[in-house]
């Protein structure tokens, strides 16, 4: 019962992410911040959709493994797109250009490797989940890179919070609150 509710919420989150991304991109396509937000919503939706299929008991192990790998490929792209969004929002693109290139390079390689046995080697039943990802050293690298870019983006936002005023500072406060909650929930 609880797994069914959790799976349904995951599917609804995927649908909501696709809808929000689609709505925003239609409204302001030319805005760079909007385009990055669209891709961020799309990868969040892809991550949730892949995760959804690993929670269904009637899914074959092969399909669940494919879904898990697609979910992980989207998951690592979330971090680089989030970092990119933070840089545009904070107007730090020119100062952090090398870091952004490194982020895209490392996350793109890991996204590709996520579709192979390098990240997720197998799925096993664990807790109440029928398919839980198992990895080896590749998974450790994946999680380390994921955490690094998320923490670095948050660090830049916290550091720049003081220099912002009024509306921009308020937007950043709410954005940080939402993303801390989102990344914390996604990590569990």
């Amino acid at each position: 019962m609880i797994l069914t509710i959790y799976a349904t919420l995951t599917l609804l989150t995927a649908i909501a992410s696709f809808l929000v991304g689609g709505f925003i991109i239609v409204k302001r396509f030319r805005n760079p911040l909007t385009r990055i937000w669209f891709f961020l919503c799309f990868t969040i939706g892809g991550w949730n959709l892949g995760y959804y299929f690993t929670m269904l008991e009637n899914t074959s192990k092969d399909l669940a493994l494919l879904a898990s790998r697609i979910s992980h490929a989207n998951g690592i792209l979330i971090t680089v797109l989030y970092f990119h969004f933070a840089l545009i929002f904070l107007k730090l693109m020119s100062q952090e250009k090398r870091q952004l290139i490194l982020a895209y390079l490392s996350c793109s390689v890991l996204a590709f490797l996520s579709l192979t046995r390098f990240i997720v080697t197998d799925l096993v039943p664990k807790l109440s989940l029928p398919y839980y990802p198992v990895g080896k050293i590749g998974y450790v690298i994946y999680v380390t890179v994921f955490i690094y870019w998320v923490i670095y983006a948050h660090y830049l936002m916290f550091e720049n919070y003081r220099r912002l005023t009024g509306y921009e500072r308020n937007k950043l406060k709410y954005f940080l609150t939402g993303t801390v909650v989102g990344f914390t929930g996604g990590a569990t």
Side-chain angles (χ1 to χ4, degrees):
M1 175 65 173
I2 291 175
L3 185 60
T4 304
I5 293 169
Y6 189 56
T8 303
L9 291 174
T10 303
L11 179 61
L12 290 174
T13 303
I15 293 167
S17 296
F18 291 133
L19 289 174
V20 167
F23 176 76
I24 289 173
I25 200 70
V26 167
K27 291 290 185 184
R28 300 185 68 198
F29 178 74
R30 296 196 186 277
N31 183 325
L33 196 62
T34 303
R35 285 196 306 266
I36 292 299
W37 188 255
F38 164 76
F39 289 118
L40 184 58
C41 287
F42 188 83
T43 55
I44 291 169
W47 173 73
N48 275 285
L49 194 58
Y51 191 46
Y52 166 75
F53 283 107
T54 65
M55 288 188 263
L56 302 177
E57 292 179 2
N58 59 350
T59 301
S60 71
K61 187 172 182 178
D62 289 337
L63 179 59
L65 184 59
L66 176 63
S68 180
R69 288 178 175 164
I70 290 171
S71 178
H72 280 80
N74 279 282
I76 198 67
L77 293 176
I78 289 170
T79 62
V80 69
L81 292 167
Y82 178 72
F83 178 58
H84 194 167
F85 181 88
L87 294 181
I88 293 171
F89 182 83
L90 297 169
K91 298 172 180 61
L92 296 175
M93 286 293 292
S94 58
Q95 297 97 307
E96 296 286 334
K97 191 172 189 168
R98 286 187 177 171
Q99 290 288 4
L100 183 61
I101 291 168
L102 180 60
Y104 270 106
L105 187 62
S106 61
C107 292
S108 295
V109 167
L110 285 171
F112 173 76
L113 290 174
S114 292
L115 301 173
T116 70
R117 293 183 47 83
F118 185 74
I119 307 294
V120 177
T121 57
D122 196 12
L123 297 174
V124 297
K126 191 172 187 179
L127 305 170
S128 62
L129 299 171
Y131 300 110
Y132 191 84
V134 175
K136 294 186 179 175
I137 188 66
Y139 206 85
V140 173
I141 294 167
Y142 176 96
V143 171
T144 303
V145 170
F146 186 99
I147 290 170
Y148 176 80
W149 291 117
V150 170
I151 288 175
Y152 188 56
H154 280 92
Y155 165 78
L156 290 175
M157 285 188 269
F158 281 115
E159 279 295 307
N160 285 276
Y161 180 78
R162 285 174 275 176
R163 77 169 170 80
L164 297 174
T165 58
Y167 181 66
E168 292 296 312
R169 187 176 190 160
N170 210 29
K171 277 197 313 189
L172 184 57
K173 179 174 63 175
Y174 288 115
F175 181 71
L176 273 169
T177 302
T179 58
V180 165
V181 169
F183 278 113
T184 302
T188 58

